[in-house]
Amino acid sequence: MTGARQQPGKGRYDLTQGPIARTLLLFALPTLGSNVLQSLNGSVNAVWIGRLIGESALAASANANLIMFLMFSFGFGFGMAATILVGQSMGRGDITGARRAFGTGVGLFTVVSILIGAFGWITAPQLLHLLGTPPSATPYALAYLRVIFLAMPPMFLGVLISTALRGIGNSMTPFFFMILNVVLDAGLNPFFIRGFGPVPAMGIAGSAFTTLIANYVVLIGVTIYIYVRKLPIALHGAELRFVIPDLRLLKVIAAKGFPMGLQMLVMTFSGIFMMGLVNRQGVNVTAAYGVAQQLWTYLQMPAMAVGTAVSAMVAQNIGASRWDRVSQITRSGLAANFLLTGAVVILLMLFDVPAFSLFLGSHSPAIPIARHIHLIATWSFILFGITLVLFATIRANGVVVAPLLILTFGVLIARIGFAWSLLSTFGPDILWWSFPAGSMFTALLAGLYYRFGNWRRATMITEVVAEEARESTLADSEPGGRINPAG
């Protein structure tokens, strides 16, 4: 091997060799475990809030979490673009290129997360007002949201590190640290909500404070682990300068990341519009919608895990010019999504009432409403998974505008337009039927573009970076770091 390159097939994290279905499954399962644990963490926190404080606090957390996701969306696309660079660099065997892309992502995310946290803290009351948060829930939501904004830096950087690790083919490390995150966050919730010994009673702000603690501990822990285990993205010596964003890399990350960030914003704004429509139906409907969303989070987990695996595998195989495997990876991803998501749909259909009771208590008036919402909308997440897998393949080659347009039409027209225009005629049920309508429309357009679009002929985004950065890469990196990706 030469310079910063590693021969394909020789690395511990290589995804360009071996049986596709088995490799996809083994990569996806730890990611699925991470996603389930993350959702479980949110659900347990919601249980503590609903049981210890009440429906108004639970509605407040649903509104506050939506705003937090909106803020997070600003940086999400840039992190995904950096991860694609990491994955394609690994596929080419360019370890230093992967480190350079990761370092630029770290520098960018550090600045962006601090700015977003400060902006959110200042504008939290106005954001809640724009969302139409019920008056009874507003004080709770404000107290919760402002503490959450303090946790933005470790949350941003933690997600970037997790996705970068998956980009190099390592899905186990994020899984282990997600376990630690859940143990800390969910385990500490009741102590900081009610108070215990020297721990003061903080109410709903205590739930947010445990999230802050957990994310800072995990960020420090995973950083230490990366260096102790000498994982490929660890920066050493002169490579530490990579955290100062490279303008050439930033140009590529911005060009590809901005449309992906807009996709997240489209989804978030659609959720805000939907929440606004739901809030007008009263606090019980808002609480019911909030707990239904908790179960929907679990429904999305298999598709998200499979999509992450597909994206990482496709990016590495494109980097290695293994186009013969790309279509096979996509087909395996679609089959895995159908089986896994379908199984979760059936499971939640059978046990939805006991699940809702965990959040609200068995006698809450919101439970029948939540079950009605769930029965109408649940099956549409199989279609959501189809779209996610197809988009994961397309984006792995740096094609991001077409998915943005498809998602915008599907969510804003087929879902929000459908719900808003027919609400006065058909009543609240049209809100829930808008989810299958939007998912069906989006999956159809995604399938047509995957089959007939020109995404396969797009220029790989790492080629530009590799050409521009070759001289400085060889000059800046440590000789030891160029020979072998340790770990």
Side-chain angles (χ1 to χ4, degrees), residues 56-69 127-128 131-134 137 141 144-145 272 275-276 279 286 290 293:
S56 293
L58 187 60
S61 67
N63 280 262
N65 285 333
L66 190 56
I67 291 177
M68 180 186 69
F69 189 71
L127 291 172
L128 291 170
L131 188 58
T133 305
Y144 180 88
L145 192 58
I272 289 175
M275 182 64 78
N279 282 338
T286 301
Q293 285 183 310

Side-chain angles (χ1 to χ4, degrees), residues 303 306-307 310 314 327 330-331 333-334 337 383-396 399 403 406 442-451 455-456:
V306 172
V310 167
V314 169
S327 296
T330 305
R331 288 194 296 270
L334 291 172
N337 163 71
L383 300 175
F384 162 81
I386 293 173
T387 301
L388 199 62
V389 170
L390 295 177
F391 279 179
T393 299
I394 294 166
R395 290 171 183 151
V399 176
I406 291 171
T442 304
L444 176 62
L445 291 183
L448 290 173
Y449 184 75
Y450 174 82
R451 177 65 179 83
W455 64 273
R456 295 173 183 84

Side-chain angles (χ1 to χ4, degrees), residues 63-83:
N63 280 262
N65 285 333
L66 190 56
I67 291 177
M68 180 186 69
F69 189 71
L70 170 63
M71 298 292 103
F72 202 83
S73 298
F74 281 106
F76 178 83
F78 301 111
M80 288 298 297
T83 300

Side-chain angles (χ1 to χ4, degrees), residues 97-241:
R99 292 173 180 172
R100 180 181 291 277
F102 174 68
T104 293
V106 169
L108 176 64
F109 264 48
T110 299
V111 174
V112 169
S113 62
I114 292 174
L115 291 177
I116 289 178
F119 174 80
W121 173 277
I122 295 170
T123 62
Q126 290 76 20
L127 291 172
L128 291 170
H129 177 73
L130 289 175
L131 188 58
T133 305
S136 62
T138 297
Y140 293 109
L142 182 60
Y144 180 88
L145 192 58
R146 279 191 156 156
V147 177
I148 284 293
F149 278 124
L150 297 177
M152 280 292 173
M155 291 172 69
F156 266 77
L157 291 171
V159 169
L160 175 66
I161 291 172
S162 295
T163 54
L165 287 169
R166 295 183 182 114
I168 65 172
N170 181 348
S171 60
M172 288 301 299
T173 298
F175 174 61
F176 291 141
F177 278 94
M178 182 55 67
I179 294 175
L180 176 61
N181 190 305
V182 171
V183 170
L184 291 174
D185 195 353
L188 293 175
N189 248 267
F191 300 104
F192 281 87
I193 290 176
R194 284 287 181 89
F196 180 79
V199 178
M202 299 175 65
I204 194 171
S207 179
F209 191 69
T210 63
T211 299
L212 182 149
I213 293 173
N215 278 276
Y216 274 103
V217 170
V218 167
L219 176 62
I220 295 170
V222 74
T223 301
I224 294 172
Y225 182 85
I226 287 171
Y227 279 92
V228 170
R229 298 290 296 177
K230 301 179 181 178
L231 300 185
I233 59 173
L235 306 179
H236 300 278
E239 291 176 338
L240 291 172
R241 289 184 294 173

Side-chain angles (χ1 to χ4, degrees), residues 261-453:
L262 285 180
Q263 291 171 40
M264 296 295 294
L265 289 176
V266 167
M267 292 297 296
T268 305
F269 279 122
S270 72
I272 289 175
F273 292 146
M274 183 63 69
M275 182 64 78
L277 295 174
V278 171
N279 282 338
R280 297 171 189 172
Q281 312 304 315
V283 69
N284 283 333
V285 175
T286 301
Y289 182 62
V291 295
Q293 285 183 310
Q294 290 291 332
L295 296 194
W296 292 351
T297 300
Y298 288 98
L299 284 172
Q300 297 176 62
M301 291 302 102
M304 293 176 67
V306 172
T308 299
V310 167
S311 180
M313 290 184 68
V314 169
Q316 285 201 18
N317 279 273
I318 290 176
S321 298
R322 293 296 308 273
W323 281 94
D324 56 303
R325 290 167 56 89
V326 171
S327 296
Q328 299 176 56
I329 294 169
T330 305
R331 288 194 296 270
S332 296
L334 291 172
N337 163 71
F338 182 81
L339 292 175
L340 294 175
T341 304
V344 177
V345 166
I346 294 173
L347 183 66
L348 292 182
M349 283 290 191
L350 293 174
F351 299 102
D352 56 350
V353 173
F356 292 139
S357 298
L358 288 174
F359 297 99
L360 297 167
S362 58
H363 301 295
S364 172
I367 287 183
I369 303 172
R371 188 166 193 269
H372 182 68
I373 295 170
H374 187 55
L375 291 175
I376 291 175
T378 293
W379 64 275
S380 68
F381 285 91
I382 297 175
L383 300 175
F384 162 81
I386 293 173
T387 301
L388 199 62
V389 170
L390 295 177
F391 279 179
T393 299
I394 294 166
R395 290 171 183 151
N397 200 32
V399 176
V400 293
V401 175
L404 170 62
L405 295 176
I406 291 171
L407 192 66
T408 300
F409 279 112
V411 171
L412 296 185
I413 296 178
R415 177 180 296 175
I416 298 301
F418 179 86
W420 180 77
S421 63
L422 298 177
L423 178 60
S424 60
T425 303
F426 294 97
D429 273 5
I430 208 65
L431 299 175
W432 327 132
W433 280 109
S434 69
F435 286 92
S439 296
M440 188 177 300
F441 184 77
T442 304
L444 176 62
L445 291 183
L448 290 173
Y449 184 75
Y450 174 82
R451 177 65 179 83
F452 300 107

